[in-house]
Amino acid sequence: MAFANTTTEQRILGEVRTQDRNRKAVRVWLGFVLLALFCLVIVGGATRLTNSGLSITEWKPIHGVIPPLNAAEWEEEFKLYQRIPEYQQLNTDMTVEQFKGIFWWEWAHRLIARGIGIIFALPLIYFWATGKIERRLRWPLVGILALGGMQGAIGWWMVSSGLSVRTDVSQYRLATHLIMACLIFASCMWIMRGLSPHSRDEAPTSGSKAWAGVIAIFALFQIYLGALVAGLDAGFSYNTWPLMDGSIVPSDLLIQQPAWINFFENPKTVQFIHRLGAYTLLALTLLNMIVALSAAPATTHARRAVVLFVLVVLQAAIGIATLLLQVPVHWGLLHQAGALVVFGFAVANWRGFYGEYPRTTVIAERD
């Protein structure tokens, strides 16, 4: 009888160790995916800040991997660009060599996007086939892959808005493209965090989980507002702080009719709302930190609350510097990177209140 119990315990321990190894492998894979997504968003920001997003006027998901390889192909690509309003109204003096400078940014952005599809799909197939992915996660991961395919279509939908009438892309479509990227990023973060070991610290308050969700969702909303600012080039005006256009609350915020359109198409209003969003997020994370430190000062949850607040403070400082310096490319990219870091950590913090995914082995807890 004792021998049988020992054998059972060894089998269970073996199952736990196997699941640990599998979860670690999947976490490492998702970590690489998150890093690639982070790079994609930053290169996308550089594409926007260097006005490179309309340099490739055709959508060739497969053939588009190969860039122009000789002078004749560069001339052909440049002629396609010369047909759109951006060239005809803004860049008529551009040379082929100057065109190459904006082409490479957009090409790199699309190449990284295609690469992410590969580094997500191939390991997913392998992990699924070898049984390393737990059943509960299979279809959610397939769903993320489907979102990636949809994101490619959204990217072209965004670019196409600037090829016929406008000299830039629609701020609505730009915001949709960025938010979809953030949702894919958050989904990968959520699953990776759920596969990680968690502490057994009690939540500081009964509402901590909901509060963490509010912060994460508001961080995403703030990124949406930032996308509208970028789409309208609103950051290149009203480059003072804390006053804006000489006032705490600037005038003419609702000058366009109907009034609601100002929140999407009036650069002054959009920038002002983005500022208010930053103040609100700062207040939310400050209150979250104070409550966590007061209710459970020595817990992992409280430490995460401190880190989250510090990240938001740093991001606010970067945002102010970016505004005052009139959005130089490197500062703009740093601000975009900071936004993704804050959002990613907010999602991980929220997921931390749910604990590790239940184990499929007999033993449901880590020693």
Side-chain angles (χ1 to χ4, degrees), residues 25-356:
V26 174
R27 289 202 310 271
V28 170
W29 162 53
L30 290 176
F32 276 114
V33 172
L34 285 171
L35 178 61
L37 286 169
F38 182 84
C39 293
L40 179 64
V41 171
I42 300 308
V43 172
T47 300
R48 174 64 189 170
L49 288 169
T50 57
N51 297 312
S52 303
L54 297 176
S55 58
I56 301 178
T57 60
E58 295 180 338
W59 191 31
K60 300 177 180 178
I62 305 301
H63 179 65
V65 173
I66 304 174
L69 299 176
N70 54 53
E73 291 181 358
W74 276 113
E75 284 291 345
E76 180 182 354
E77 195 73 42
F78 188 38
K79 286 179 181 178
L80 293 174
Y81 176 68
Q82 289 175 319
R83 296 177 183 176
I84 69 172
E86 181 179 84
Y87 172 83
Q88 296 169 356
Q89 298 180 34
L90 302 176
N91 293 329
T92 54
D93 58 345
M94 177 177 283
T95 65
V96 174
E97 289 302 314
Q98 291 171 327
F99 170 71
K100 291 179 181 179
I102 63 172
F103 175 91
W104 286 121
W105 276 117
E106 176 64 8
W107 180 82
H109 184 55
R110 298 190 187 193
L111 183 67
I112 295 173
R114 293 181 178 101
I116 291 174
I118 293 173
I119 68 173
F120 194 94
L122 294 184
L124 175 60
I125 293 171
Y126 167 75
F127 286 134
W128 191 317
T130 56
K132 295 181 184 299
I133 293 180
E134 296 163 32
R135 188 178 299 274
R136 69 167 64 85
L137 299 179
R138 292 176 180 177
W139 290 112
L141 288 168
V142 171
I144 295 174
L145 182 61
L147 288 179
M150 186 185 301
Q151 173 72 329
I154 291 173
W156 175 247
W157 174 65
M158 176 189 69
V159 170
S160 65
S161 67
L163 298 180
S164 58
V165 178
R166 302 171 59 104
T167 60
D168 57 3
V169 300
S170 162
Q171 72 272 25
Y172 299 106
R173 300 187 187 188
L174 174 67
T176 301
H177 190 50
L178 181 57
I179 291 303
M180 178 60 78
C182 289
L183 290 176
I184 294 171
F185 187 87
S187 299
C188 292
M189 178 68 77
W190 188 272
I191 293 176
M192 186 182 77
R193 185 75 178 92
L195 292 172
S196 303
H198 283 60
S199 72
R200 299 186 183 184
D201 293 340
E202 292 292 332
T205 66
S206 59
S208 295
K209 182 191 297 185
W211 192 252
V214 169
I215 291 174
I217 293 170
F218 195 87
L220 181 63
F221 177 64
Q222 179 67 353
I223 290 175
Y224 173 79
L225 294 176
L228 293 180
V229 169
L232 292 169
D233 292 327
F236 292 97
S237 55
Y238 311 109
N239 300 102
T240 59
W241 185 85
L243 300 182
M244 180 177 175
D245 199 20
S247 303
I248 296 294
V249 180
S251 60
D252 297 330
L253 292 177
L254 301 178
I255 195 171
Q256 297 182 21
Q257 296 298 323
W260 64 266
I261 206 72
N262 290 275
F263 295 94
F264 302 95
E265 299 187 7
N266 183 340
K268 176 185 280 190
T269 307
V270 169
Q271 189 196 124
F272 181 66
I273 297 301
H274 187 52
R275 292 189 184 203
L276 293 182
Y279 302 148
T280 303
L281 185 58
L282 187 65
L284 289 174
T285 54
L286 175 60
L287 181 59
N288 177 61
M289 181 182 70
I290 292 173
V291 171
L293 289 175
S294 299
T299 64
T300 300
H301 301 298
R303 289 191 289 270
R304 287 204 309 266
V306 173
V307 173
L308 182 56
F309 174 70
V310 170
L311 288 175
V312 172
V313 170
L314 290 175
Q315 172 66 351
I318 292 170
I320 293 169
T322 302
L323 181 70
L324 296 178
L325 295 171
Q326 299 184 24
V327 199
V329 172
H330 57 288
W331 276 96
L333 293 180
L334 184 61
H335 188 49
Q336 185 156 321
L340 197 56
V341 169
V342 168
F343 176 60
F345 191 86
V347 170
N349 175 62
W350 185 15
R351 183 63 185 79
F353 287 98
Y354 288 83
E356 186 177 359

